[in-house]
Amino acid sequence: MNATNPYRKLPRRAFWSTSVAKSAKMKGMVDDLWRPSFQLTKDHPVATVGSCFAQHISSALVQAGFKWVQAERPTFGLSEQAARDFGYSIFSVRTGNIYTTKMLRQWLSWVRDPETQDTEFWESQDAVFDPVRPQIEPGGFEDAEDMAAARKSTIAAFHRAIEEASVFIFTLGLTEYWENIETGLVYASCPGTVAGEFDPVLHRFRNSKYPEILEDLEEIRKSLRAINPDIKLLLTVSPVPLVATAEEGKHVLTATTHSKSTLRSAAGDFSSNYQDVDYFPSFEIVTHPGLDRQMFEDDRRSVRPDGVDFVMEHFLAGLGLVHRSPTSRRSDGVDAIATSVEATLKADEIVCEEIELERFNDNRD
Amino acid sequence: MTTEIDAIFVGDSHGMIMQSAAAAHGIKFKYPVTAASATFGGATMRKSENGGVVFEIAASRLDPDRVKPEKISHRLQKANSIRQKLSVAFKTGLPIYSNIGMTARNFVLGIVTAAKANGEDPSLLSKKMMRLAAEEYFQQFVSQYDTMKASSPRVTAVFGPTRFEHSSRALWMSYDDTAARMLRERNIDILDLRGDFGNEDLLLREEFYGQPDDGVHGNDHWGLMTVRKIAEHCQRASSDSPQKNMAY
């Protein structure tokens, strides 16, 4: 028998016992978890969009001193709270949550050619809602003209964000989505939940499969690079479980696992195809039981502040901005992130359309 | 012969034009208190325990890191002068006319400048957001009007000259409407003279532009006519009001 084999030369990070098990035992970070495939320093402008969890990334980047692209800024005169209510300062542009690859692909197609955008709007008694960001204007827009103008502004800002950014971070959240059968418009939420009226003839449930997500990611990358050929794409998958599944006959637990596994797998495979695309493992850091950490609040869905903090510590460590051994104490920068994350969560400032689905759970105990 | 309007006038730079133009024609307010608009922006104006008035300029205008000491000293002196004048004036209980915060220019300029600096188009703002921004911006004047209202049964706000660029008319009007609504909610009257001096869009007519024109203010003719309208309003309101004798 040969005395050497490929496993003998593998580093500590390649073995569970010397990486995951050790960090779990030490209650510390997982050393060398993420090695970025492209350079990202605090001087590189970073744009962020995505699901609810992406909001943590935005605020943590700001706190850590990164150059966060804010292409759509609150208007002069608006207070900080009002600005947040109107969806400013949450993502780089005022898109609201972009949960799916399908949704980002749709946005980017409009960014590249605004003339192609769908003009559907949802009208209630005294307000008009944007189907791709129904919560962006508290209480809705006063008329369709206002909605169209605001969309135009966001699309222009989105273009600027891509032009300006060195790195575009997209946090994938869901595979499930709803669309208009006739027009193909992808909605941010099921009509009739946050706003709009559900029409079973017009509205269809879809659950993206792996090949579709890969195809969407290809299109997303193509669109981003068409606007900014040097831009890098950093993918993450939100560890936050589904509020509810619309997949017939499915349990929300298996639906969550299915959805997240598909997203995780697609993001991993896609990033391995391109040097300008990378994957950061926020999903694993939060959800893997091997790390033996209490990461969720009592609702078993919201990520605890220290969990978000733990994710961002790994992010900074991967970039070489925080060097920590499993037992080391926090640096000032990491403390600043922790404080920011905690404050954000305490203030209940996470803006999340999906959570609205919980209102429709008629069988609560 | 001098005509004295039995009223207090609290005004900004537009008010100064009104005051000086009227004075040149022998018309003056009994208690005029005027200063540049920035003096009133975010200022604290409240009744003191001894019945006088506390007037403090916004802290940001006294920040030693940004403002030279001599300027701070000048601003403090100005604030003290306003405090003294308001203390004397408000004790009389006379009707108050004020135009502070009643010109949308700074608000519109702030929005347009900030939006353009960020590559955005301010004309794309929704009506709801414009109103909310105006409401939050006007908050800096609200407590001052509340103090006026607590000092006099009759407080009337007067719009300044409307001098918007065509593209920013919606912003300007949104601000005017919001300011007027917020003041009416406080039982403060609005003397709306925009139509008297403006065209069909309420934009100030060119005959009221200064020579040379600074693009901001109205001319002396505008100032004089505005004060005359205030005088008429004051006289009419005094004769109409069941509280007319309260103040004198």
Side-chain angles (χ1 to χ4, degrees), chain A residues 57-83:
Chain A
I57 295 178
S58 308
S59 67
L61 286 172
V62 171
Q63 286 301 316
F66 278 81
K67 213 186 253 182
W68 182 56
V69 176
Q70 197 178 3
E72 206 172 8
R73 291 176 185 271
T75 188
F76 170 85
L78 217 54
S79 69
E80 204 174 316
Q81 185 54 52

Side-chain angles (χ1 to χ4, degrees), chain B residues 206-220:
Chain B
E206 280 191 30
E207 65 197 84
F208 296 110
Y209 288 10
Q211 291 291 339
D213 183 32
D214 64 2
V216 177
H217 297 95
N219 59 18
D220 285 350

Side-chain angles (χ1 to χ4, degrees), chain B residues 13-14 17 37 103 105-106 109 160-164 172 204 208-210 212-219 222:
Chain B
S13 61
H14 305 287
I17 289 172
S37 62
T103 310
R105 184 182 176 270
N106 288 345
L109 191 66
T162 46
R163 304 213 55 182
F164 49 80
W172 192 291
L204 190 71
F208 296 110
Y209 288 10
D213 183 32
D214 64 2
V216 177
H217 297 95
N219 59 18
W222 170 84

Side-chain angles (χ1 to χ4, degrees), chain A residues 66-322:
Chain A
F66 278 81
K67 213 186 253 182
W68 182 56
V69 176
Q70 197 178 3
E72 206 172 8
R73 291 176 185 271
T75 188
F76 170 85
L78 217 54
S79 69
E80 204 174 316
Q81 185 54 52
R84 280 192 74 84
D85 292 345
F86 277 82
Y88 288 104
S89 312
I90 297 169
F91 302 108
S92 290
V93 276
R94 208 176 150 226
T95 53
N97 297 123
I98 298 179
Y99 289 109
T100 61
T101 52
K102 201 67 77 185
M103 192 80 184
L104 179 57
R105 181 178 174 176
Q106 178 174 269
W107 268 109
L108 291 176
S109 72
W110 295 347
V111 169
R112 288 180 71 183
D113 184 0
E115 295 299 316
T116 63
Q117 70 173 295
D118 191 288
T119 53
E120 179 181 336
F121 56 86
W122 290 341
E123 201 163 14
S124 72
Q125 207 168 17
D126 53 2
V128 166
F129 294 87
D130 187 339
V132 297
R133 45 178 190 167
Q135 287 186 319
I136 211 69
E137 187 93 347
F141 292 94
E142 290 184 6
D143 50 46
E145 197 180 39
D146 264 13
M147 190 203 92
R151 174 95 70 78
K152 186 178 175 187
S153 181
T154 296
I155 286 173
F158 212 147
H159 199 284
R160 289 196 304 277
I162 297 165
E163 282 176 322
E164 198 184 320
S166 295
V167 177
F168 187 92
I169 302 181
F170 174 41
T171 302
L172 295 80
L174 302 172
T175 53
E176 296 188 7
Y177 67 96
W178 292 83
E179 70 175 5
N180 184 307
I181 291 172
E182 288 175 4
T183 63
L185 177 69
V186 177
Y187 299 119
S189 58
C190 176
T193 56
V194 176
E197 278 181 34
F198 184 71
D199 178 350
V201 178
L202 193 61
H203 301 133
R204 174 169 60 190
F205 172 74
R206 297 288 307 274
N207 196 356
S208 291
K209 296 188 183 307
Y210 174 88
E212 290 173 73
I213 293 169
L214 268 191
E215 191 195 315
D216 289 343
L217 289 171
E218 289 285 358
E219 279 302 313
I220 287 165
R221 177 176 175 270
K222 203 160 91 182
S223 292
L224 291 172
R225 290 170 64 82
I227 296 166
N228 178 354
D230 296 324
I231 201 164
K232 310 285 191 293
L233 176 60
L234 180 58
L235 300 171
T236 67
V237 173
S238 165
V240 179
L242 275 65
V243 171
T245 179
E247 188 73 73
E248 206 177 330
K250 294 282 185 197
H251 193 286
V252 70
L253 180 63
T254 53
T256 294
T257 306
H258 186 112
S259 181
K260 300 293 178 180
S261 305
T262 306
L263 292 173
R264 169 62 188 93
S265 182
D269 284 351
F270 185 70
S271 64
S272 66
N273 290 341
Y274 297 102
Q275 286 190 335
D276 53 281
V277 183
D278 198 2
Y279 169 77
F280 173 72
S282 52
F283 175 73
E284 288 87 333
I285 296 169
V286 174
T287 62
H288 205 286
L291 293 174
D292 194 26
R293 293 178 75 97
Q294 176 63 277
M295 299 300 268
F296 290 101
E297 299 282 12
D298 289 346
D299 63 5
R300 311 307 301 155
R301 188 172 177 277
S302 309
V303 182
R304 289 163 53 113
D306 54 344
V308 178
D309 178 31
F310 193 55
V311 170
M312 294 314 297
E313 285 176 40
H314 284 86
F315 184 78
L316 294 179
L319 298 175
L321 297 171
V322 178

